Amino acid sequence: MAKKQFKAESKRLLDLMINSIYTHQEIFLRELISNASDAIDKLAYLALTDQNVGMSREDFFIDLRADKKLGLLTVSDNGIGMSKEEMEQNLGTIARSGSLQFKQALDKENADVDIIGQFGVGFYSAFMVADTVTVLSKKYGEEEAWMWQSSGADGYTISPCEKTTVGTEVILKLKADTEDEKYSRFLEQYELQNLVKKYSDYIRYPIRMEMEKHRRKELPEDEKDEKDEDGEEKAPEWETYTELSTLNSMIPVWQKSKKDVTDEEYDGFYKDKFYDFEKPLAHIPVSVEGAVTYKALLYIPAKAPYDFYTKDYKKGLQLYSSGVMIMEHCEDLVPDHFRFVRGVVDTADLSLNISREMLQHNRQLSIISTNLEKKIKQELLNMQKDRREDYEKFFAAFGRQLKYGVVSDYGMHKDALQDLLLFWSAKEQKLVTLKEYVEAMPEEQKHIYFAAGESNARLAQLPQYQRLQEKGFDVLFMTEDVDEFVPRTLMNYMEKDFRNLATDDLDLSTEEEKKAAEAVAEDWKEDLDFIKTALEGKISKAEVSADLGSHPVCLVPEGGMSFEMEKYFKRMDPEMSGRLQKILRLNPDHPAIQKLKALIPSDPEKAKQYAQVLYVQGLILADLPIEDPQAYTELICGLL
Ligand code: ADP
Ligand code: MG
């Protein structure tokens, strides 16, 4: 029979499996059992809506069989089975996300074999322990059964075979033992039993095996009271028998009571189920009885998946009804701002064959989701309080999502999210919550100050910042795209409003200072007009300001939007026309500015050039591009 070739990607993965020196080869069993369980899920689901299946939950099982003489290990199920085409498709390609993710990680991390076990690597993992893999399968509803067979990377065959029952049998011809590796251990019942406990305990169908057991031989009645020669009771006699035993507890971890589950078990379940090799930062077991009765188990991952901030990422929780999965990603169970949460919801209150459209408008679901949202928030707040380092890790991964959450939907979720935010405190040199910021404010500070820009180092250069620093006021430095929109959306926090260093009145002057400033402005009126004319087309206004500290000038945008925000919009839409108008602020106490003022009546031509230089300084400080660098250098050279 002609051998068929594996698809290129599969071949590479297969090679890796066959030549693997990975020490946790045992995970192959977990993979085969999980496939069996998936196949049973499918038939069980069908049985709910199709009378003809004639099976109920109790009729399903996964059987392990070890044949020591032949060196064969068989995993069989009475699930949905595979047709010939499905064998071709499913066993000849890496279709599943786990294997793909695994491959991607391998490509990235220089094929570090130690990460193999941390992914769901799927069916091919069988080749880590087997020379030959044979799959017999009969699909539900079909007459014929098929056999798939492969001895590794050189290809596989598919041929008709005899099989009377629906389902699949995967037969492994184990590799011969070597000095380093005893493959025959996978034929030992205790080894198999342990592996099932370790990896597959929550599989909801019985995983059965004929177990050899020992028991005391029942003595015939008349011998029972007999004593031996010394008058002692006779030594007990033992006999060996076999019994079909169920190896797994079958209760899914989310159905178990919290006190019966260890942290390792919770973490292990997460890694297995959601193909993450990092421990989650938190697990949230939920058990609710009431208007809707359900159990849930939610996780906060430690890292954002590589596609998290793209359209490809699928949010949602797995939805089960009485132990049968009905939806892999039920989006309606988590709000967008918590879309990083992974987990499972199981409720008997949902009908199983409910359609997706009906689910969307389901009242029970919306009760559950409201409830879960509260639980998630509470968990995050607890983490913020008790495990700050973990919380910062969380925030590094998903903080941006929370900020998007604040600004999206016209700020609808801001009250729910504002306490979860962290920003960089320039004074404390660490991340703080808004609450921490406000509580640390000196009594005379009236506003929450923030500055947005490319980097903390740049922001620390702002003249306005230096002014605030002198007063002992803290400033929140915001360096992410979305940051600046957050205070705009929140408007205030604990009754303190936000003031943007770049655009807003910092409100620092006393009444007297304000009066004095007005007098200065009056004195400068004509000079300011001169400067505005000198910078025609570049600025919309020139003004004097007492907020500049030791700096001679700064540029601020007119009209509330900041330069940073403008840059952000330009990045989003490079075609965006129009620019923000700029206001040039001058420090009347600065010697350079005083010199300029003196020059205006005596040497207007030179004063004009000074104004131009100062304008460019403003551009530099505001991190804006110099419009005509060549003209600027010429200008400077001319002045030297
Ligand atoms: P995954 O389980 O993530 O899909 P695998 O590599 O483990 O990836 O399996 C590939 C596919 O082979 C499965 O999706 C399924 O369609 C099919 N398959 C594997 N084992 C069985 C089985 N015991 N019964 C039915 N189909 C199976
Ligand atoms: Mg699988």
Side-chain angles (χ1 to χ4, degrees):
M1 193 182 343
K3 276 225 162 80
K4 303 200 177 181
Q5 293 303 305
F6 287 102
K7 300 260 158 60
E9 291 224 310
S10 313
K11 196 160 180 306
R12 165 123 204 274
L13 190 59
L14 210 56
D15 278 338
L16 268 163
M17 290 297 166
I18 294 164
N19 304 314
S20 163
I21 46 162
Y22 179 62
T23 42
H24 289 75
Q25 295 167 333
E26 60 191 36
I27 56 143
F28 82 91
L29 188 63
R30 168 192 84 183
E31 297 298 325
L32 296 183
I33 288 174
S34 110
N35 285 349
S37 165
D38 290 349
I40 293 175
D41 271 347
K42 287 178 192 153
L43 191 56
Y45 184 68
L46 202 63
L48 292 170
T49 50
D50 181 350
Q51 298 288 313
N52 297 327
V53 179
M55 307 263 279
S56 62
R57 276 189 68 83
E58 303 76 55
D59 301 327
F60 293 105
F61 58 83
I62 298 164
D63 277 357
L64 306 183
R65 204 162 54 243
D67 184 328
K68 286 189 183 169
K69 271 200 214 88
L70 297 176
L72 297 179
L73 175 65
T74 305
V75 180
S76 54
D77 65 69
N78 55 354
I80 189 102
M82 275 178 280
S83 65
K84 187 182 179 204
E85 292 70 36
E86 284 168 335
M87 276 186 162
E88 180 93 37
Q89 260 176 29
N90 300 337
L91 306 183
T93 29
I94 315 181
R96 67 176 337 254
S97 56
S99 309
L100 265 182
Q101 255 182 33
F102 161 70
K103 215 194 127 287
Q104 277 161 351
L106 271 187
D107 287 347
K108 243 188 265 145
E109 316 222 338
N110 287 334
D112 176 1
V113 287
D114 252 17
I115 61 174
I116 293 180
Q118 303 172 335
F119 288 84
V121 281
F123 174 73
Y124 292 147
S125 62
F127 286 97
M128 288 199 289
V129 300
D131 284 328
T132 304
V133 179
T134 309
V135 181
L136 306 176
S137 195
K138 183 170 178 181
K139 170 123 184 168
Y140 171 76
E142 292 193 4
E143 288 298 314
E144 282 182 19
W146 295 91
M147 177 172 85
W148 180 99
Q149 193 167 53
S150 169
S151 303
D154 62 334
Y156 58 89
T157 58
I158 295 182
S159 51
C161 74
E162 281 299 313
K163 189 175 186 311
T164 47
T165 53
V166 168
T168 302
E169 218 167 285
V170 180
I171 306 163
L172 309 186
K173 171 86 184 72
L174 294 177
K175 295 184 186 177
D177 285 354
T178 66
E179 252 175 48
D180 306 324
E181 205 52 66
K182 266 197 87 195
Y183 298 99
S184 58
R185 73 175 193 278
F186 298 123
L187 299 170
E188 302 294 340
Q189 66 176 15
Y190 289 109
E191 177 80 8
L192 293 168
Q193 187 180 26
N194 287 340
L195 289 180
V196 168
K197 265 271 168 254
K198 181 168 171 191
Y199 291 113
S200 312
D201 197 46
Y202 61 83
I203 293 288
R204 294 180 310 279
Y205 308 101
I207 302 168
R208 308 182 307 186
M209 187 167 60
E210 286 288 349
M211 294 280 280
E212 240 179 46
K213 294 181 181 175
H214 305 283
R215 67 182 160 206
R216 217 172 148 156
K217 230 177 174 167
E218 277 288 319
L219 293 173
E221 267 315 305
D222 52 331
E223 288 176 32
K224 265 195 176 154
D225 298 324
E226 271 179 31
K227 309 271 154 109
D228 64 12
E229 291 95 76
D230 304 328
E232 300 283 315
E233 293 241 348
K234 265 194 157 178
E237 277 186 63
W238 293 88
E239 64 177 355
T240 305
Y241 69 104
T242 59
E243 188 179 63
L244 190 62
S245 318
T246 296
L247 308 181
N248 55 329
S249 70
M250 283 193 285
I251 306 172
V253 65
W254 64 82
Q255 289 288 0
K256 291 187 193 172
S257 137
K258 241 190 283 190
K259 62 178 187 345
D260 297 335
V261 187
T262 62
D263 285 352
E264 287 77 48
E265 225 175 312
Y266 275 129
D267 292 350
F269 174 78
Y270 166 81
K271 289 185 188 170
D272 244 38
K273 186 117 193 147
F274 301 106
Y275 309 121
D276 194 347
F277 56 93
E278 253 191 78
K279 238 169 64 159
L281 286 174
H283 57 260
I284 316 171
V286 183
S287 175
V288 173
E289 278 173 39
V292 188
T293 297
Y294 68 95
K295 292 230 161 63
L297 177 53
L298 310 184
Y299 291 93
I300 317 265
K303 260 207 194 118
Y306 64 96
D307 60 355
F308 184 69
Y309 288 103
T310 73
K311 298 196 291 302
D312 296 339
Y313 176 81
K314 277 202 191 140
K315 77 156 188 167
L317 303 177
Q318 292 193 346
L319 181 60
Y320 284 81
S321 180
S322 313
V324 178
M325 184 162 77
I326 55 176
M327 204 191 267
E328 169 101 57
H329 295 279
C330 185
E331 300 193 1
D332 303 317
L333 284 171
V334 270
D336 250 1
H337 46 264
F338 290 153
R339 65 207 276 276
F340 47 81
V341 173
R342 292 282 186 212
V344 174
V345 174
D346 193 346
T347 171
D349 292 354
L350 279 179
S351 139
L352 270 173
N353 45 11
I354 187 166
S355 76
R356 262 155 217 259
E357 294 69 41
M358 280 163 70
L359 265 180
Q360 270 179 1
H361 305 289
N362 187 279
R363 209 179 60 87
Q364 277 107 328
L365 273 200
S366 74
I367 295 174
I368 297 177
S369 100
T370 312
N371 215 334
L372 291 182
E373 181 177 356
K374 280 190 209 128
K375 300 261 181 202
I376 296 166
K377 183 180 170 189
Q378 195 48 54
E379 180 70 27
L380 289 173
L381 286 174
N382 292 347
M383 203 198 299
Q384 189 189 76
K385 194 160 119 283
D386 305 330
R387 296 190 285 143
R388 191 58 172 245
E389 219 172 281
D390 281 346
Y391 191 76
E392 285 184 15
K393 199 166 169 197
F394 156 76
F395 200 79
F398 304 111
R400 194 202 292 214
Q401 182 64 49
L402 297 181
K403 295 176 202 164
Y404 286 143
V406 168
V407 301
S408 66
D409 299 335
Y410 307 100
M412 217 171 95
H413 317 288
K414 65 180 181 185
D415 290 340
L417 295 175
Q418 57 188 1
D419 290 321
L420 295 173
L421 301 176
L422 297 180
F423 291 105
W424 184 257
S425 150
K427 190 173 177 184
E428 304 286 335
Q429 286 291 302
K430 63 175 195 194
L431 292 164
V432 296
T433 63
L434 292 173
K435 188 153 180 255
E436 287 159 354
Y437 178 93
V438 171
E439 282 174 353
M441 276 167 51
E443 210 176 317
E444 69 272 24
Q445 184 180 341
K446 286 178 276 180
H447 312 285
I448 301 173
Y449 294 107
F450 71 96
E454 297 230 324
S455 68
N456 290 344
R458 268 236 114 97
L459 292 172
Q461 305 283 319
L462 285 175
Q464 295 94 325
Y465 168 60
Q466 289 173 6
R467 179 84 203 283
L468 289 166
Q469 216 179 7
E470 281 157 22
K471 301 212 63 142
F473 294 176
D474 194 4
V475 177
L476 298 174
F477 281 177
M478 306 191 172
T479 49
E480 246 179 3
D481 276 353
V482 59
D483 280 350
E484 206 178 342
F485 298 91
V486 175
R488 279 174 80 87
T489 309
L490 293 179
M491 318 244 266
N492 52 56
Y493 182 84
M494 286 170 77
E495 290 165 16
K496 309 281 179 207
D497 65 344
F498 287 89
R499 293 280 165 120
N500 186 344
L501 261 58
T503 52
D504 300 334
D505 175 11
L506 300 184
D507 189 17
L508 295 174
S509 317
T510 60
E511 279 310 308
E512 269 161 47
E513 285 167 333
K514 279 185 195 155
K515 281 226 174 73
E518 273 164 32
V520 174
E522 190 52 40
D523 175 40
W524 269 79
K525 198 169 173 311
E526 275 170 32
D527 307 307
L528 292 174
D529 286 343
F530 173 88
I531 292 168
K532 187 179 171 219
T533 317
L535 296 172
E536 191 68 65
K538 294 191 161 108
I539 60 168
S540 60
K541 194 176 166 193
E543 59 189 30
V544 282
S545 161
D547 283 348
L548 294 187
S550 60
H551 289 258
V553 284
C554 80
L555 278 174
V556 297
E558 176 147 32
M561 201 203 272
S562 71
F563 293 133
E564 280 313 309
M565 219 179 263
E566 181 184 43
K567 281 188 215 161
Y568 175 78
F569 284 125
K570 287 246 168 191
R571 272 198 298 277
M572 308 276 284
D573 176 13
E575 306 284 283
M576 196 178 98
S577 60
R579 292 208 131 257
L580 284 178
Q581 299 285 328
K582 303 184 192 75
I583 300 174
L584 181 69
R585 283 200 184 141
L586 305 159
N587 178 355
D589 298 328
H590 195 281
I593 303 302
Q594 285 167 350
K595 190 146 188 198
L596 168 65
K597 190 175 194 310
L599 268 180
I600 291 174
S602 61
D603 187 350
E605 209 31 58
K606 196 159 215 173
K608 198 173 156 191
Q609 290 174 333
Y610 272 36
Q612 277 160 354
V613 171
L614 288 166
Y615 166 73
V616 174
Q617 293 207 319
L619 287 178
I620 295 171
L621 283 174
D623 208 4
L624 293 170
I626 299 172
E627 289 135 9
D628 188 348
Q630 196 175 341
Y632 177 63
T633 21
E634 275 165 23
L635 176 67
I636 292 284
C637 288
L639 284 170
L640 288 175

